[in-house]
Amino acid sequence: MVTRQHETHHDEFNPWLRVASLIEQAGHILELDDGLIQRIVTPERILEVSIPVRRDNGKVDVFTGWRIQHDSSRGPGKGGIRFHQSVNVDEIAALSADMSVKCAVVNIPYGGAKGGVKVDPDTLSRDELERLTRRYAFAIAPMIGPDRDIPAPDINTDPQVMSWIMDTVSMLRGHSMPGVVTGKPLAIGGSFGHAGATSLGVTICTLGLLKQRGLSPEGQRVVIQGFGKVGGPLIKLLTDRGMKVVGLADIHGAIHVPTGIDAHRMSDHFGEAHTIIGYPGAEEVAPDAFFTIPSDIAIPAALGGVVDEKVASTMTASMMVEAANGPTTGEGASILAERGIPVVPDVLANAGGVVASYFEWAQDMQGFMWEHELFTKRLEKFMQEAFDSVWVRHQQLGLELRDTALVVGVERIAEATKLRGLFP
Ligand code: NAD
């Protein structure tokens, strides 16, 4: 059961209550009536499942999993599945609501959903992981499907896990069903362009922000925290457009290269060293001083909660684009706002991945794969339109970009909900 406001008003850090109250605030800004706000806030469907798994030693352990569909007014549910020991129903509910808003902000015909299993996957063998995934997929199978709810990878789940889910549901339904999940390998209905799509979306938002501020990308100094699936491709994408990546951080430390990091050289170095540290000519910087490296644009692309009061007060960049999920704390966001530092929020900046998932699903439904160029062109268009629509509302409402994006998302969900009316 998802926590209700009256049950835990003492628990400020409950992720579900945080998201629910943000959606309510957006609803009040839009002057929606209370019944409509409650319809938008409350998850439509919550499924809790038990997942018995036979271990390699013959013993059976039982895990708990969830799939939550938050809102389906704009289309089938969309959202990842995570395997993590800290997963709980309130976290999954919060993430499902985030997905409703994110899909609406980038204007793709999906509602929000999310799933998860409370398990530490490091304690499972590969065979145990497959058995857990298949039993979880079986348990949530009545709820998912290409026109109901389409899962995708999230923390500790990958294209292999998606393949097992796709296969399990296909076996149950009696025919191959590629459109039931996205983030699949190419050989079974995955899509060109999926890898790197989030980074391309971040790039489009960075260019959009520069343009709106009357600045050319040429020579803009960027610092990127994180060199993984999102941070990795960003160096080339940004340098190709004239920017200079002068700072980079990973789990092992941080570096400063005032002349700019070369994407190919970094890729070669990382291939050998498995860390960014030791890049030729780089000066090492203390990780907690990373965002004080002289720069114009900061891109957190690693962890949540890193831009706190202290980092926000000392950050040298004059704008920020959130590639990571939730990189800025509430206090950090207030300080950045006071300092006049615009922030493209995660819900918009890192939505390239979910747009790519939509494209993969569309191709699976059509049974026709697009060329890479078409995929990229369409992704750029969706992200540009999403950025522009948030920017226009930001100027009309005079709110921070983060609050504006939420209002844009809630407004679109409200419009769909009103048009569809109330059944029965
Ligand atoms: P990843 O695991 O591929 O890479 C994470 C990177 O962060 C690595 O380079 C790691 O070394 C670095 N890192 C970890 N701890 C660090 C620390 N203490 N200081 C500095 N760097 C540290 O993850 P990813 O897929 O690139 O995701 C990064 C962020 O982007 C996450 O917040 C994720 O939720 C968000 N995101 C990812 C996608 C996607 O398509 N992968 C989509 C939307 C949002």
Side-chain angles (χ1 to χ4, degrees):
M1 181 63 151
V2 166
T3 307
R4 291 179 195 285
Q5 228 104 0
H6 64 271
E7 287 167 351
T8 62
H9 48 91
H10 306 293
D11 184 358
E12 290 169 34
F13 302 108
N14 181 307
W16 164 248
L17 294 183
R18 184 189 60 82
V19 175
S21 93
L22 286 173
I23 294 177
E24 280 177 2
Q25 280 169 31
H28 292 312
I29 291 170
L30 291 162
E31 298 180 358
L32 305 180
D33 72 56
D34 286 345
L36 182 56
I37 294 176
Q38 283 320 303
R39 278 186 73 188
I40 294 172
V41 168
T42 312
E44 282 177 14
R45 198 173 276 124
I46 299 176
L47 179 65
E48 180 173 302
V49 295
S50 89
I51 309 159
V53 177
R54 192 175 304 283
R55 307 301 292 250
D56 294 341
N57 65 9
K59 284 173 64 181
V60 172
D61 283 329
V62 180
F63 299 91
T64 305
W66 294 269
R67 184 74 189 169
I68 299 185
Q69 289 164 354
H70 175 257
D71 187 88
S72 65
S73 56
R74 291 174 41 85
K78 185 88 197 98
I81 286 173
R82 59 175 58 181
F83 291 167
H84 197 272
Q85 56 276 24
S86 70
V87 160
N88 62 69
V89 68
D90 282 341
E91 178 193 64
I92 299 296
L95 293 164
S96 71
D98 284 340
M99 286 306 298
S100 296
V101 173
K102 185 178 277 195
C103 292
V105 169
V106 284
N107 213 2
I108 55 178
Y110 282 146
K114 201 83 182 188
V117 178
K118 186 174 173 56
V119 61
D120 177 358
D122 287 345
T123 63
L124 302 176
S125 69
R126 187 184 152 93
D127 285 349
E128 289 168 344
L129 179 67
E130 179 174 353
R131 289 197 286 276
L132 174 114
T133 303
R134 286 186 181 276
R135 185 63 190 240
Y136 170 67
F138 169 82
I140 65 165
M143 211 162 129
I144 61 174
D147 46 14
R148 284 184 204 165
D149 177 355
I150 308 118
D154 195 69
I155 294 173
N156 292 331
T157 57
D158 61 11
Q160 178 60 74
V161 169
M162 294 305 113
S163 306
W164 290 327
I165 296 175
M166 180 273 211
D167 184 68
T168 304
V169 179
S170 297
M171 291 297 127
L172 282 170
R173 307 275 213 269
H175 60 95
S176 196
M177 193 176 263
V180 69
V181 284
T182 58
K184 299 178 294 296
L186 278 180
I188 55 167
S191 175
F192 284 112
H194 204 286
T198 304
S199 317
L200 181 57
V202 171
T203 305
I204 300 298
C205 289
T206 307
L207 292 171
L209 184 59
L210 285 167
K211 187 172 170 207
Q212 292 300 343
R213 305 190 86 206
L215 297 168
S216 152
E218 203 58 45
Q220 295 288 337
R221 297 162 304 166
V222 187
V223 292
I224 305 171
Q225 185 192 46
F227 188 66
K229 291 183 284 297
V230 178
L234 271 177
I235 302 183
K236 177 156 174 41
L237 286 165
L238 299 176
T239 47
D240 279 355
R241 288 157 176 85
M243 289 170 254
K244 205 161 65 161
V245 177
V246 296
L248 190 61
D250 73 4
I251 194 161
H252 302 289
I255 57 170
H256 180 202
V257 184
T259 50
I261 295 168
D262 178 79
H264 294 297
R265 282 182 79 196
M266 177 51 86
S267 167
D268 289 347
H269 167 74
F270 191 86
E272 284 175 17
H274 305 294
T275 171
I276 60 160
I277 303 300
Y279 177 80
E283 177 203 337
E284 240 183 275
V285 177
D288 61 1
F290 179 66
F291 287 104
T292 66
I293 291 174
S295 67
D296 304 299
I297 304 166
I299 306 188
L303 308 171
V306 286
V307 183
D308 56 12
E309 223 171 324
K310 182 170 165 250
V311 170
S313 316
T314 54
M315 180 180 282
T316 52
S318 59
M319 55 202 124
M320 186 164 96
V321 182
E322 294 183 339
N325 274 320
T328 313
T329 66
E331 294 80 24
S334 307
I335 291 170
L336 293 175
E338 276 165 29
R339 294 185 58 201
I341 296 178
V343 178
V344 184
D346 51 4
V347 73
L348 169 62
N350 69 28
V354 73
V355 176
S357 275
Y358 165 51
F359 291 172
E360 178 180 331
W361 173 84
Q363 293 170 76
D364 291 334
M365 300 302 274
Q366 285 178 318
F368 185 77
M369 304 315 277
W370 309 347
E371 298 91 28
H372 201 158
E373 296 72 29
L374 180 63
F375 183 99
T376 305
K377 198 172 135 204
R378 287 182 169 165
L379 183 66
E380 288 181 356
K381 181 168 179 287
F382 268 72
M383 289 306 298
Q384 187 66 56
E385 285 177 1
F387 180 88
D388 291 345
S389 62
V390 171
W391 190 268
V392 168
R393 278 307 251 150
H394 158 70
Q395 292 195 307
Q396 287 168 348
L397 297 169
L399 297 169
E400 291 298 323
L401 287 167
R402 186 184 311 283
D403 301 328
T404 312
L406 191 67
V407 166
V408 168
V410 171
E411 189 167 39
R412 289 186 176 147
I413 297 168
E415 185 190 4
T417 307
K418 280 195 276 191
L419 282 168
R420 289 179 61 160
L422 179 57
F423 173 86

